[in-house]
């Protein structure tokens, strides 16, 4: 049997930064936090847009537990 542990996080991107991206993030993309120890990676499970054009990425990290 395999057990999964999940952790969720949010990542906010302001409109001026979004305008500089070569593409928009979508569900299923991976975000790697290169400045954190171990460089954890998160999958984007949802992308929401504010009325100001900002994006909030709902991130999920899944780690397999033996």
């Amino acid at each position: 049997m395999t057990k999964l542990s999940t952790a969720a996080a949010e990542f906010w991107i302001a409109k001026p930064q979004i305008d500089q991206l070569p593409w928009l993030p979508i569900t299923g993309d991976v975000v790697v936090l290169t400045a954190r120890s171990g460089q954890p990676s998160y999958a984007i499970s949802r992308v929401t847009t504010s009325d100001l054009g900002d994006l909030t990425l709902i991130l999920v990290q899944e780690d397999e537990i033996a």
Side-chain angles (χ1 to χ4, degrees):
M1 178 189 307
T2 300
K3 294 181 182 179
L4 294 176
S5 167
T6 61
E10 291 184 8
F11 190 81
W12 175 77
I13 305 173
K15 175 74 171 134
Q17 285 72 40
I18 294 167
D19 293 339
Q20 296 177 10
L21 294 175
W23 64 87
L24 291 178
I26 60 171
T27 299
D29 283 350
V30 174
V31 175
V32 178
L33 304 180
T34 58
R36 290 202 179 168
S37 175
Q39 297 187 347
S41 61
Y42 290 80
I44 298 174
S45 65
R46 188 172 56 176
V47 178
T48 61
T49 307
S50 76
D51 57 348
L52 299 175
D54 301 338
L55 288 180
T56 300
L57 309 178
I58 308 303
L59 308 175
V60 177
Q61 180 183 30
E62 297 179 343
D63 292 322
E64 188 172 327
I65 300 174

